[in-house]
Amino acid sequence: MQEKADIQRLVILLNKGIEKYGLQRVEDSLTKLYSTLDLSTNAKLNLHLRNLIYSEIKNEFGVAKKTIIQSNKRGNNAQAKIMAIILLHKHLGMTKKEIAAMFHHNHHHTELRLRSFKNTKNGTKEEKIYSQNDFMIKYGRINRKINKERERWMK
C-alpha cells in the first residue's frame, strides 16, 4: 500500500515539475538520469514502449506529447489523449489512478474511458469517439507496432 502511495506522490510531483519547468526539461532530466542508472531489462522496455506509444500517437494524430498530456480540447487532441490512456494501461500496466494523475484527470474519467473502449472493442456498445476518424484502425496499427517491438525486445 505504501508503494502505491509513493508512486502516486511521484507522479504528482512530476506533474508539478512539468507545469513549472516544462515537459521537455523534465523529460531531458529523466532521460539523463535513466542513462546513468543500471535499469533492469523490463524497466528499459517500459521506458522504450512509453516513448514508442507517444511517437506513434504523434504519427497517427499529429499531436505532440506535451499537447496530449496538458490539453483538454476536443477533436484530434482528445482522441490522441484517449489513445494514450488506453495504450499506457494496456502495454505498461499503469493503474487508472497513475494515468489519471499523469493527465490531470480524476480516476473516474480514466476508468470511464477504459470501460467504454472495452465495451466498444467487445461489441457490446458503440461509443461515438471510437468510430470517428478511424480511431479503431489507428489503435490497431499502433497496437501491432508496440506488440512487434515488445516481441523484438524479448528475443
Side-chain angles (χ1 to χ4, degrees), residues 82 86 111-132 134-137 139:
I82 293 167
I86 292 165
E111 184 175 336
L112 181 66
R113 289 295 179 203
L114 290 169
R115 189 176 341 115
S116 64
F117 176 76
K118 181 180 175 186
N119 290 341
T120 299
K121 193 172 173 206
N122 292 340
T124 56
K125 187 176 180 184
E126 180 68 26
E127 293 286 337
K128 184 179 176 184
I129 187 79
Y130 305 118
S131 62
Q132 294 176 344
D134 303 319
F135 184 91
M136 296 303 280
I137 293 169
Y139 167 78

Side-chain angles (χ1 to χ4, degrees), residues 30-54:
L30 286 173
T31 302
K32 201 179 295 181
L33 174 67
Y34 282 135
S35 67
T36 62
L37 296 176
D38 184 26
L39 297 175
S40 69
T41 303
N42 193 38
K44 288 179 184 175
L45 174 61
N46 282 347
L47 179 63
H48 177 69
L49 290 180
R50 180 180 301 210
N51 291 334
L52 180 64
I53 287 169
Y54 286 117

Side-chain angles (χ1 to χ4, degrees), residues 33-124:
L33 174 67
Y34 282 135
S35 67
T36 62
L37 296 176
D38 184 26
L39 297 175
S40 69
T41 303
N42 193 38
K44 288 179 184 175
L45 174 61
N46 282 347
L47 179 63
H48 177 69
L49 290 180
R50 180 180 301 210
N51 291 334
L52 180 64
I53 287 169
Y54 286 117
S55 171
E56 290 302 320
I57 289 173
K58 183 177 182 182
N59 290 343
E60 290 288 342
F61 291 94
V63 179
K65 180 179 179 179
K66 181 178 179 180
T67 306
I68 294 170
I69 291 175
Q70 295 178 343
S71 175
N72 286 322
K73 306 260 184 210
R74 295 182 183 192
N76 220 26
N77 291 352
Q79 287 187 355
K81 183 178 276 194
I82 293 167
M83 182 72 73
I85 289 169
I86 292 165
L87 293 171
L88 290 169
H89 181 71
K90 178 178 180 181
H91 291 286
L92 299 181
M94 291 179 71
T95 66
K96 295 166 190 165
K97 287 185 180 181
E98 290 169 338
I99 294 170
M102 176 187 279
F103 290 107
H104 309 288
H105 288 183
N106 62 34
H107 169 254
H108 178 71
H109 175 81
T110 303
E111 184 175 336
L112 181 66
R113 289 295 179 203
L114 290 169
R115 189 176 341 115
S116 64
F117 176 76
K118 181 180 175 186
N119 290 341
T120 299
K121 193 172 173 206
N122 292 340
T124 56

